[in-house]
């Protein structure tokens, strides 16, 4: 296992992912329209593949920490009850997606890591939410990918039982956010939806 550095595009925000290996983390490609919309909202279409997929590495909250640029961290939410999509506001770099802190899980866009760091997680084990893919959905990405769901569930349960929920990079133990959030408007969300798959006419 090794430690991997994570940094925003301009270098203002810096952190570390500890204990990285294919056996302790997870890596999948998500084609959902929320991930696509978020990338378009940030102007970071470079993080999407040709089908609109986001390569995501999944880590335990306690294994991720930031040591520089905390004043630039904020959450973007696509709806009032949507996922927290933590962002470096200095250069619109995604830092990690989370649900509420009781679910010990942080999804990090692999595209913000250098090639050598991405390789530490192993290759993606498959794709999910392929019904939203642009063009022909990649094989195995539609329906219910039981293997991916089971593996992700084992990871989350293991992190919870292994006391990997805390410290959390984005929440206090009380459940309060450490950083501000912004919920985008319904009109803006609908505008972004038109950029996502299935491919617009």
């Amino acid at each position: 296992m090794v430690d991997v550095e994570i940094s925003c595009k301009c270098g203002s925000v810096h952190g570390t992912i500890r204990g990285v290996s294919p056996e302790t983390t997870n890596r999948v490609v998500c084609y959902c329209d929320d991930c696509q919309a978020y990338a378009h909202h940030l102007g970071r279409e470079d993080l999407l593949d040709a089908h609109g997929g986001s390569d995501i590495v999944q880590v335990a909250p306690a294994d991720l920490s930031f040591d520089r640029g905390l004043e630039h961290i904020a959450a973007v939410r696509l709806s009032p009850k949507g996922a927290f999509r933590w962002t470096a506001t200095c250069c619109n770099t995604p830092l990690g997606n989370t649900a509420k802190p009781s679910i010990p899980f942080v999804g990090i866009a692999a595209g913000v890591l250098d090639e050598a760091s991405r390789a530490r997680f192993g290759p993606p084990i498959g794709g999910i939410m392929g019904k939203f893919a642009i063009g022909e959905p990649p094989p195995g990405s539609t329906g219910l990918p039981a293997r991916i769901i089971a593996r992700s569930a084992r990871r989350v349960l293991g992190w919870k039982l292994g006391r990997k929920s805390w410290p959390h990079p984005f929440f206090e133990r009380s459940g309060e956010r450490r950083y501000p959030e912004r919920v985008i408007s319904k009109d803006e969300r609908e505008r972004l939806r038109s950029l996502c798959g299935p491919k617009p006419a």
Side-chain angles (χ1 to χ4, degrees):
M1 294 189 293
V2 298
D3 293 348
V4 167
E5 291 186 82
I6 179 173
S7 178
C8 68
K9 190 174 184 179
C10 73
S12 296
V13 180
H14 177 271
T16 302
I17 310 168
R18 289 175 295 278
V20 170
S21 81
E23 288 72 40
T24 60
T25 59
N26 212 17
R27 185 175 177 184
V28 300
V29 180
C30 181
Y31 299 94
C32 80
D33 60 344
D34 277 355
C35 284
Q36 292 183 54
Y38 176 54
H40 286 293
H41 171 72
L42 297 181
R44 294 302 307 272
E45 295 84 358
D46 59 301
L47 297 175
L48 301 174
D49 67 20
H51 296 284
S54 295
D55 187 349
I56 303 292
V57 296
Q58 303 166 337
V59 304
D63 290 337
L64 173 64
S65 62
F66 295 94
D67 55 24
R68 188 173 71 234
L70 305 185
E71 69 275 14
H72 298 299
I73 299 177
V76 173
R77 304 183 79 179
L78 302 181
S79 67
K81 294 185 178 181
F84 294 88
R85 297 175 182 271
W86 303 95
T87 307
T89 58
C90 45
C91 56
N92 283 349
T93 298
L95 299 174
N97 301 332
T98 67
K100 56 188 178 180
S102 60
I103 302 175
F105 173 97
V106 182
I108 300 169
V112 308
L113 307 172
D114 61 43
E115 186 174 352
S117 295
R118 291 196 296 272
R120 300 289 189 179
F121 292 87
I125 61 171
I128 59 174
M129 304 299 287
K131 66 181 181 180
F132 294 106
I134 294 173
E136 187 69 22
S141 65
T142 58
L144 290 174
R147 173 171 168 264
I148 296 176
I149 292 172
R151 181 181 169 116
S152 296
R154 285 197 303 270
R155 287 283 181 268
V156 171
L157 180 60
W159 293 333
K160 196 173 187 71
L161 295 177
R163 301 182 184 276
K164 290 279 193 172
S165 301
W166 306 101
H168 200 292
F170 303 116
F171 292 96
E172 303 290 354
R173 283 187 177 270
S174 64
E176 293 296 314
R177 290 178 285 103
R178 289 187 174 183
Y179 308 106
E181 73 169 49
R182 174 183 172 238
V183 180
I184 68 172
S185 69
K186 185 176 180 180
D187 287 345
E188 185 176 2
R189 178 66 183 90
E190 290 306 310
R191 179 184 64 79
L192 292 168
R193 191 182 298 278
S194 70
L195 303 174
C196 306
K199 189 173 182 178

